[in-house]
Amino acid sequence: GIFDAQEKMVIHLTGDKSAGKASVAATSLKVFLEGGQLRLYTYEASTLGWLFKRNGSCTTVSSISPSVTVEIARWFADHPNQFGGYRLFSWNCEFFATMCKTAKFTAS
């Protein structure tokens, strides 16, 4: 998810993933975590750092500014059904956050 510091909310993908339906919602950090652990994802990591990090914790891809990242995420929160369907390996919550942070709107 994308943390919106101004609103103190996390904008993230939600919905009925088993049915392939997804929407974007804004919830409190507490609700977003639901007893889980907060993990930060690093952008613009060095290649060496990327090779030795835990899978799914960083990328060498560059990111856009936090304010534009939140602006993109807010747009999807305001238009919750515009994100499209859910696909486990390509069009998922991690993709949503990466898309907002990099402004790259295609799944690889």
Side-chain angles (χ1 to χ4, degrees):
I2 301 296
F3 184 67
D4 180 345
Q6 181 178 340
E7 299 294 325
K8 305 278 191 269
M9 301 293 274
V10 178
I11 303 167
H12 62 97
L13 196 63
T14 188
D16 185 356
K17 295 173 181 132
S18 64
K21 296 182 180 185
S23 63
V24 178
T27 59
S28 70
L29 183 58
K30 182 178 180 178
V31 169
F32 175 73
L33 291 175
E34 290 182 340
Q37 184 179 10
L38 180 64
R39 295 189 181 162
L40 300 178
Y41 194 83
T42 303
Y43 292 84
E44 302 178 45
S46 69
T47 303
L48 187 60
W50 176 78
L51 287 171
F52 291 102
K53 289 281 187 178
R54 180 182 60 79
N55 189 26
S57 65
C58 68
T59 183
T60 58
V61 175
S62 61
S63 62
I64 58 176
S65 73
S67 62
V68 175
T69 298
V70 170
E71 188 176 319
I72 292 169
R74 278 187 192 158
W75 186 90
F76 280 104
D78 290 343
H79 304 87
N81 297 314
Q82 295 299 311
F83 182 73
Y86 179 88
R87 290 188 289 283
L88 180 62
F89 295 109
S90 63
W91 205 257
N92 53 33
C93 13
E94 184 178 335
F95 173 73
F96 172 75
T98 301
M99 179 196 68
C100 291
K101 189 67 180 154
T102 64
K104 294 182 192 246
F105 299 101
T106 58
S108 52

